[in-house]
Amino acid sequence: DTAVSQTPKYLVTQMGNDKSIKCEQNLGHDTMYWYKQDSKKFLKIMFSYNNKELIINETVPNRFSPKSPDKAHLNLHINSLELGDSAVYFCASSQRVAGYVGKTQYFGPGTRLLVL
Amino acid sequence: AQKVTQAQTEISVVEKEDVTLDCVYETRDTTYYLFWYKQPPSGELVFLIRRNSFDEQNEISGRYSWNFQKSTSSFNFTITASQVVDSAVYFCALSEAIRGAQKLVFGQGTRLTINP
């Protein structure tokens, strides 16, 4: 069984459109994340939810809106897509971090978004 | 601010050679965690190791070994007797705990090519 899954795997769309990416984890984790990997392979965190509460919101344009209906799902909706949004978007999950104890993040397969 | 530097952008070696990937980090935290992830050509991110700042013992897992040196803020990764299947982009990452979640700050990645 896939631990962290994302749909769709590929997304090709026109500038100005609105699109969503879905993420689900079956690891029983409380915390989920979205990362963006640009064309130079640089990975940067966008958002993190802990049991449906938004915890991390890195300086991401407000065209990006995450939604967590429950702790096993974290979706990413993008409005008015721009050329610069073309990237690979990774979802990840981990156990809740308590104090300074680090937890491993497990990543989904990624969604390759191409904006034309 | 947290920072991770992987100075080697690309490395190319012949199969069976040993290769070391360098990772240098900056943090003001006294407790932190370091990670290595592998991204093969298929694109997924595969977790390799997690190490906390209090444990400076070297770790070995099969052909993989990690050398953590707090004095030089480095967490280097060595592959012994490299194989073609080791070809991938390797990322070093540093954690920052934020209210139950954990932000991973990634290095730029090192593209490793193992030639037959």
Side-chain angles (χ1 to χ4, degrees):
Chain A
D1 280 343
T2 305
V4 183
S5 59
Q6 294 178 229
T7 53
K9 189 163 184 185
Y10 298 97
L11 194 47
V12 181
T13 188
Q14 298 287 330
M15 226 168 35
N17 283 351
D18 303 338
K19 289 292 177 188
S20 291
I21 306 172
K22 296 188 175 184
C23 178
E24 177 181 2
Q25 55 94 4
N26 62 6
L27 296 167
H29 289 162
D30 289 312
T31 310
M32 296 184 73
Y33 309 80
W34 279 111
Y35 286 83
K36 178 180 179 181
Q37 184 174 45
D38 64 23
S39 58
K40 295 184 178 175
K41 294 282 192 181
F42 185 63
L43 277 155
K44 192 173 189 316
I45 192 166
M46 300 172 70
F47 302 103
S48 177
Y49 269 77
N50 195 319
N51 201 10
K52 302 193 293 175
E53 180 189 357
L54 180 64
I55 301 294
I56 297 173
N57 185 347
E58 292 286 290
T59 49
V60 177
N62 56 18
R63 298 183 295 104
F64 290 79
S65 50
K67 279 206 171 71
S68 182
D70 55 61
K71 71 175 191 177
H73 295 84
L74 180 61
N75 304 324
L76 183 65
H77 187 76
I78 315 170
N79 289 327
S80 303
L81 278 155
E82 300 177 357
L83 295 176
D85 297 332
S86 295
V88 181
Y89 293 85
F90 285 98
C91 176
S93 74
S94 74
Q95 293 176 327
R96 180 186 171 88
V97 175
Y100 290 99
V101 179
K103 300 293 182 185
T104 299
Q105 292 184 21
Y106 295 93
F107 285 79
T111 296
R112 188 174 295 274
L113 171 66
L114 179 59
V115 182
L116 303 174
Chain B
Q2 316 262 32
K3 187 178 178 183
V4 176
T5 301
Q6 294 179 254
Q8 304 149 309
T9 308
E10 293 193 32
I11 299 175
S12 181
V13 301
V14 177
E15 203 171 17
K16 296 184 185 172
E17 283 186 25
D18 299 348
V19 58
T20 294
L21 309 183
D22 297 334
C23 172
V24 174
Y25 62 91
E26 294 175 31
T27 180
R28 291 183 181 174
D29 294 341
T30 52
T31 303
Y32 50 89
Y33 283 74
L34 293 156
F35 300 79
W36 275 94
Y37 284 85
K38 174 182 179 179
Q39 187 172 39
S42 49
E44 71 272 24
L45 283 162
V46 179
F47 164 72
L48 295 178
I49 191 171
R50 179 185 81 193
R51 171 55 53 89
N52 75 55
S53 54
F54 291 109
D55 183 1
E56 289 199 64
Q57 276 197 331
N58 288 339
E59 177 139 354
I60 298 174
S61 176
R63 296 183 296 106
Y64 294 173
S65 62
W66 289 269
N67 179 262
F68 174 41
Q69 300 231 343
K70 208 166 175 179
S71 59
T72 56
S73 297
S74 65
F75 186 40
N76 297 336
F77 173 32
T78 297
I79 302 175
T80 303
S82 59
Q83 299 176 1
V84 173
V85 293
D86 296 326
S87 296
V89 180
Y90 290 86
F91 293 95
C92 180
L94 173 64
S95 70
E96 178 183 347
I98 302 175
R99 287 167 43 218
Q102 178 180 260
K103 173 179 165 181
L104 286 182
V105 175
F106 284 87
Q108 305 92 316
T110 296
R111 182 180 297 278
L112 176 63
T113 302
I114 310 296
N115 299 298

